[in-house]
Amino acid sequence: MQHSTQPFPKGFLWGGATADFQYEGGFNEGGRGINAQDFVTDGSVGRKRQITLKMADGSRGSVNSLESLPEGAEPCMYDDQYYPSHKAVDFYHHWKEDIHLMAEMGFSVFRFSICWSRIFPTGDELTPNEEGLDFYEKVIDECLACGIEPLITICHDEMPDHLARHYNGWHSRHLIDCYVRYATALFDRYKGKVKYWLTFNELNLIHGYSKIGVHRMDPQTYYQAEHHMFVASAITIREGHKRMPDAIFGSMFAMSAMYPATCKPEDVFAWYKQRRENYFFIDTMARGEYPNYAAEIFARKNVKLDIREGDLELIKAYPLDFVSFSYYRSTTICADHFTSIDPIGIMGGDTNPYLPKTPWNWSLDPLGLRFVLNELYDRYQKPVFVIENGLGEIDKLEEDGTVHDPYRMKFLSEHFQQMKDAINIDKVPCFGYTMWAPIDLVSLGTGEMKKRYGFVYVDMDDKGNGSLKRYKKDSFDWMKKVIASNGEDLNY
Ligand code: BGP
């Protein structure tokens, strides 16, 4: 296969991505309100993360993040449980040090998310929490002083617990007003400083209470909640453009590649339909209208949306300016035995027998990134941004403070080559890359710390023990070299 030996285009944005509840901590500091993510325990591959509950009869219970809450049960924290969001890896107190490490690597962009309940502790207040706004302003100012563009995810899989508990989260239209008030408070404060914004994270990756606040996990509830998020995103883009004419807006979608398991027509058609289940969310937000195939999905899943006057016009008038996505792996779809792992029927698929896997069973597929970049640009003709990509691996901190991670350099080098090929050979206008996650942080899927992604090792274990000291891994200097050559030199 032909490969590009040219560097990336001039001005290409290089950086890293994080999310507040996996990175920030400080859960009871600075006036932050309790977040729906604060009830989610740690876990592992064989032990799913749980939302701990007080059951209707007062007893203790729990459900995993894909399940409905039992009737009358309420999320509740217990002292003998470890909740990773509370401390995470303490960016709240390490922000300056971490930003300087990113600057040392030559980052030109840092994607982070703002914690909604740090700005509006319950979500129902009419004025924002000044301490919260101030914290992120310091982060933004430090980035700018270091030559790093801040790229903000307004809402990354989280929300004030009050809105989840009392309104059934995004199932309620009330959330549209709360979210727009929150987003516009950010715009009013950070305009002139922040150009790149994402309204949501991975709307096509299913999680329940902790992410979108819903108590029941069924298609009717889910798609109704998503409809409200589509409307909220559209209004937010309208308000954002009004206040910040230079700003551009995206939303992030989980777009790891998907292939038919074989060339049997049944497998190919099953793949096509499953990919569309996934594309439904980005199709609606990027094209500005529900796709024609939504009718088939809604009929099959018995969904009847409550769409109010003006909703569809808003979605149409304010679509995404650019398309951003996460890419980690690829899966295969087989007609015979596809079963979704979520109750909505979106996620699922098998591992690809042709590909090596990580200890977490994620298939490594660099070419899949080129495939997805082409797929997305063909579909929308909007600029694209690789907003999450990285390798979760087990790293070892040596006694002398070094960490040798050749597997990470290999992974990134191969993915960068494919991204370069997509840009320079296929002519896909991809304008940036933010690696997940430059500083080690807590895994979303398993709540573990040992699934590490960073260029920087953080001394903390799966239960939150450790000094939180930061150590540069070998990949740190390698990334510095890659960025300095604007991706021309990918050798490791
Ligand atoms: C994405 C999320 C991130 C992140 C990443 C890696 O889906 O947007 O928050 O965590 O996946 O997944 P994990 O942490 O499960 O390894």
Side-chain angles (χ1 to χ4, degrees):
M1 198 178 297
Q2 191 199 348
H3 288 301
S4 164
T5 52
Q6 301 302 306
F8 282 70
K10 209 163 162 272
F12 186 81
L13 294 166
W14 289 101
T18 61
D20 57 281
F21 64 95
Q22 295 170 264
Y23 185 41
E24 186 177 290
F27 94 114
N28 55 5
E29 293 179 67
R32 177 188 182 278
I34 295 297
N35 197 280
Q37 283 287 354
D38 293 339
F39 301 90
V40 185
T41 67
D42 62 316
S44 65
V45 175
R47 186 171 56 90
K48 290 200 168 116
R49 303 187 75 181
Q50 299 289 307
I51 300 170
T52 51
L53 303 171
K54 183 165 143 215
M55 308 301 271
D57 63 1
S59 66
R60 190 168 162 163
S62 70
V63 288
N64 77 50
S65 69
L66 292 174
E67 290 174 321
S68 301
L69 305 188
E71 205 54 47
E74 283 186 12
C76 180
M77 287 172 211
Y78 294 99
D79 288 345
D80 59 357
Q81 282 288 346
Y82 172 55
Y83 300 98
S85 70
H86 296 194
K87 182 167 67 164
V89 293
D90 200 27
F91 176 68
Y92 195 66
H93 297 109
H94 289 75
W95 56 274
K96 211 177 223 177
E97 178 187 355
D98 287 0
I99 293 169
H100 288 184
L101 284 162
M102 296 181 213
E104 197 183 327
M105 277 185 282
F107 279 19
S108 46
V109 61
F110 172 35
R111 171 192 176 218
F112 60 94
S113 72
I114 290 188
C115 174
W116 187 346
S117 60
R118 196 176 281 293
I119 307 298
F120 285 93
T122 67
D124 262 338
E125 294 84 356
L126 297 179
T127 50
N129 168 30
E130 177 55 34
E131 248 188 292
L133 285 174
D134 187 56
F135 169 67
Y136 294 110
E137 186 151 39
K138 284 197 286 221
V139 169
I140 292 166
D141 287 344
E142 196 64 31
C143 285
L144 294 172
C146 292
I148 298 174
E149 289 277 357
L151 188 159
I152 292 181
T153 315
I154 298 171
C155 182
H156 188 124
D157 303 0
E158 51 87 32
M159 62 191 307
D161 181 60
H162 169 84
L163 297 181
R165 196 177 288 258
H166 299 291
Y167 297 100
N168 198 14
W170 278 100
H171 188 257
S172 161
R173 278 190 84 87
H174 177 63
L175 271 275
I176 300 176
D177 292 342
C178 299
Y179 177 89
V180 172
R181 187 164 56 240
Y182 159 54
T184 51
L186 304 182
F187 302 157
D188 288 339
R189 182 63 168 249
Y190 306 135
K191 62 173 176 249
K193 296 185 176 185
V194 181
K195 182 172 170 205
Y196 303 101
W197 298 86
L198 304 178
T199 52
F200 290 104
N201 187 67
E202 292 183 336
L203 289 188
N204 59 338
L205 200 73
I206 311 301
H207 285 280
Y209 186 89
S210 56
K211 175 171 176 173
I212 60 168
V214 296
H215 299 198
R216 289 208 52 74
M217 284 295 280
D218 55 56
Q220 174 63 36
T221 306
Y222 206 84
Y223 283 99
Q224 187 64 52
E226 296 277 332
H227 175 71
H228 295 150
M229 294 167 96
F230 296 154
V231 175
S233 176
I235 300 175
T236 298
I237 293 174
R238 182 189 71 198
E239 295 305 309
H241 280 318
K242 218 189 279 172
R243 288 167 167 79
M244 307 176 292
D246 290 339
I248 56 171
F249 288 81
S251 224
M252 192 276 233
F253 301 89
M255 275 294 145
S256 288
M258 216 180 241
Y259 309 126
T262 73
C263 52
K264 241 174 39 192
E266 288 77 9
D267 284 344
V268 176
F269 194 63
W271 158 77
Y272 185 74
K273 284 191 77 175
Q274 198 53 39
R275 191 61 168 160
R276 276 203 322 199
E277 294 272 344
N278 220 278
Y279 261 121
F280 163 82
F281 305 90
I282 184 166
D283 274 356
T284 307
M285 293 176 83
R287 292 172 171 163
E289 58 195 5
Y290 279 105
N292 65 307
Y293 62 83
E296 186 274 328
I297 294 180
F298 292 160
R300 177 162 37 90
K301 298 185 182 182
N302 203 14
V303 171
K304 291 191 180 54
L305 287 189
D306 174 12
I307 297 179
R308 303 280 169 89
E309 205 186 320
D311 285 0
L312 297 180
E313 290 73 12
L314 278 167
I315 293 172
K316 182 79 194 165
Y318 304 102
L320 306 175
D321 299 320
F322 66 98
V323 166
S324 63
F325 65 103
S326 63
Y327 178 82
Y328 288 95
R329 53 173 161 170
S330 62
T331 52
T332 62
I333 301 295
C334 168
D336 290 342
H337 64 259
F338 178 79
T339 36
S340 177
I341 55 168
D342 68 78
I344 318 301
I346 312 284
M347 306 186 305
D350 300 317
T351 49
N352 190 326
Y354 294 98
L355 299 171
K357 295 169 195 59
T358 73
W360 281 265
N361 216 20
W362 288 18
S363 303
L364 302 176
D365 180 11
L367 181 56
L369 176 57
R370 182 173 176 183
F371 174 83
V372 171
L373 279 161
N374 276 280
E375 199 185 19
L376 287 169
Y377 187 61
D378 287 352
R379 201 164 176 114
Y380 306 114
Q381 277 93 55
K382 292 190 188 232
V384 284
F385 197 125
V386 182
I387 215 96
E388 273 186 34
N389 167 247
L391 175 69
E393 256 295 353
I394 297 169
D395 294 327
K396 180 161 180 284
L397 179 65
E398 305 291 347
E399 273 176 13
D400 62 358
T402 55
V403 177
H404 307 302
D405 57 345
Y407 36 84
R408 183 161 292 107
M409 295 183 258
K410 179 175 189 298
F411 174 97
L412 292 172
S413 172
E414 290 173 357
H415 283 75
F416 292 169
Q417 183 63 56
Q418 295 298 337
M419 194 163 62
K420 195 150 88 160
D421 293 347
I423 296 171
N424 293 339
I425 299 175
D426 306 335
K427 308 296 177 203
V428 174
C430 170
F431 66 103
Y433 175 92
T434 44
M435 180 269 206
W436 184 269
I439 316 280
D440 286 346
L441 42 64
V442 179
S443 156
L444 171 75
T446 63
E448 289 167 304
M449 193 58 207
K450 72 164 179 283
K451 189 180 187 188
R452 294 174 181 273
Y453 285 88
F455 298 117
V456 173
Y457 184 97
V458 176
D459 175 29
M460 194 180 102
D461 69 13
D462 287 346
K463 290 290 178 191
N465 306 303
S467 65
L468 292 170
K469 207 171 156 221
R470 275 73 169 143
Y471 297 87
K472 294 174 191 169
K473 302 181 193 175
D474 289 353
S475 56
F476 184 97
D477 285 328
W478 177 80
M479 188 60 182
K480 189 172 174 177
K481 178 189 77 166
V482 169
I483 297 177
S485 72
N486 196 19
E488 190 169 356
D489 181 0
L490 300 178
N491 293 328
Y492 57 92

